[in-house]
């Protein structure tokens, strides 16, 4: 009976050892499949902590393709600060600021369209949220404390339309668009600001870090700029066509 018990004990230990080895091998294979990234631990205590995975930002969905007529303005310049409140959690690309993509007038109001590069990295690859926030949300909702990370950064353009007179901004992420995106034509119409993109292009935002993309939607924020540092171009020509609306009056 003693020998039988010992054999059973050895069998159980051997089975447990195989299970551990299999788990380690699975982690290594998963890491390799994601580009050989290192394994990072996300130690998160949920408790009574505020849930930062749900973004407390106002969202408006203006993005519809509409047949409109408007004016295309010449190049603009801006060398001042852009202040957003509340400021969405975005992993901005180091060394880059807001680039004045287009600026013009709609009636008596001035609109400025900015583009600023941000970056996403695994496990997201598409959402330009800070790494620590993504890790925290994965640990909370995926219930997996081991997250495979990768140092590779994936560029994501952020589009911001500012109504200078009302200090209102519409901010959205450009997930998929023609390259280079910064060549896209902006049309200033009586009903708002529009951009010339194909219908397969994807722009939008999220209400939750790990939630679905709200296609053709934007965050609404308070946005202020230094008007003295803005140089408008001149109206170039009229344009008529089907354009994507990126702000309203």
């Amino acid at each position: 009976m003693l020998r039988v018990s010992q054999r059973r004990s050895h069998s159980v230990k051997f089975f447990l050892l195989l299970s551990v080895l299999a788990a380690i091998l699975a982690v290594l294979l998963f890491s390799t499949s994601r580009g050989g990234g290192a394994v990072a631990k996300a130690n998160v205590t949920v408790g009574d902590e505020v849930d930062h995975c749900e973004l407390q930002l106002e969202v408006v969905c203006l993005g519809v393709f509409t047949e409109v007529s408007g004016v295309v303005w010449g190049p603009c310049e801006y060398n001042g600060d852009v202040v957003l409140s509340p400021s969405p959690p975005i992993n901005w690309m180091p060394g880059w600021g807001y680039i004045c993509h287009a600026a013009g007038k709609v009636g008596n109001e001035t609109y400025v369209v900015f583009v600023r590069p941000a970056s996403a990295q695994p496990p997201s690859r598409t959402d330009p949220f800070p790494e620590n926030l993504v890790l925290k949300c994965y640990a909370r909702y995926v219930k997996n404390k081991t997250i495979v990370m990768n140092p590779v950064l994936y560029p994501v353009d952020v589009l911001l339309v500012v109504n200078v007179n009302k200090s209102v901004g519409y901010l959205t992420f450009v997930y998929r668009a023609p390259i280079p995106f910064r060549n896209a034509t902006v049309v200033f119409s009586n009903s708002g600001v529009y951009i010339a993109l194909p219908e397969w292009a994807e722009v939008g935002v999220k209400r939750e870090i790990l939630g679905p993309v709200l296609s053709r939607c934007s965050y609404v924020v308070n946005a202020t700029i230094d008007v003295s540092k803005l140089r408008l171009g001149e109206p170039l020509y009229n344009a008529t066509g089907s354009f994507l609306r990126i702000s309203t009056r």
Side-chain angles (χ1 to χ4, degrees):
M1 292 296 292
L2 181 59
R3 290 180 179 178
V4 172
S5 299
Q6 290 177 340
R7 288 176 181 173
R8 288 179 178 175
S9 176
H10 288 314
S11 298
V12 171
K13 291 179 179 179
F14 182 72
F15 177 78
L16 291 175
L17 178 61
L18 286 178
S19 300
V20 172
L21 291 175
I24 294 174
L25 180 60
V27 170
L28 291 175
L29 289 174
F30 181 67
S31 175
T32 302
S33 67
R34 297 297 296 271
V39 177
K41 293 288 185 178
N43 298 318
V44 180
T45 302
V46 178
D48 297 327
E49 183 182 351
V50 176
D51 188 356
H52 296 289
C53 301
E54 294 186 5
L55 300 172
Q56 304 299 317
L57 295 168
E58 181 183 351
V59 175
V60 62
C61 297
L62 301 170
V64 292
F65 281 89
T66 307
E67 287 285 337
V68 297
S69 296
V71 180
V72 176
W73 285 62
C76 59
E77 292 182 5
Y78 183 71
N79 58 3
D81 294 329
V82 178
V83 180
L84 304 182
S85 178
S87 181
I90 297 176
N91 188 37
W92 297 114
M93 191 76 76
W96 289 84
Y98 288 98
I99 302 167
C100 193
H101 180 79
K105 288 185 175 292
V106 178
N108 295 323
E109 298 178 345
T110 300
Y111 288 80
V112 185
V113 180
F114 294 102
V115 177
R116 184 175 178 181
S119 60
Q121 71 181 77
S124 170
R125 297 197 181 202
T126 56
D127 303 312
F129 298 122
E131 174 187 336
N132 62 334
L133 189 56
V134 174
L135 285 173
K136 180 180 293 187
C137 298
Y138 264 82
R140 177 174 297 181
Y141 291 114
V142 180
K143 305 300 182 183
N144 183 358
K145 301 295 183 181
T146 301
I147 309 296
V148 176
M149 297 301 294
N150 191 312
V152 176
L153 298 178
Y154 298 86
V156 179
D157 280 323
V158 177
L159 186 67
L160 172 67
V161 184
V162 177
N163 181 321
V164 177
N165 300 76
K166 297 180 179 178
S167 298
V168 176
Y170 301 88
L171 185 147
T172 190
F173 302 145
V174 182
Y175 287 103
R176 191 165 58 116
I179 298 175
F181 168 73
R182 293 172 194 141
N183 288 345
T185 299
V186 174
V187 177
F188 296 86
S189 171
N190 289 332
S191 57
V193 180
Y194 296 78
I195 191 168
L197 290 176
E199 294 202 22
W200 57 259
E202 184 177 9
V203 299
V205 293
K206 290 187 170 185
R207 292 187 187 275
E208 301 174 2
I209 297 297
L210 302 183
V213 175
L214 304 177
S215 184
R216 303 176 184 175
C217 298
S218 303
Y219 296 129
V220 182
V221 296
N222 296 320
T224 57
I225 67 170
D226 186 345
V227 181
S228 67
K229 297 182 179 180
L230 171 67
R231 187 185 70 81
L232 290 176
E234 297 292 334
L236 296 180
Y237 58 89
N238 294 328
T240 300
S242 179
F243 304 116
L244 177 66
R245 185 167 63 173
I246 52 177
S247 84
T248 187
R249 292 194 67 184

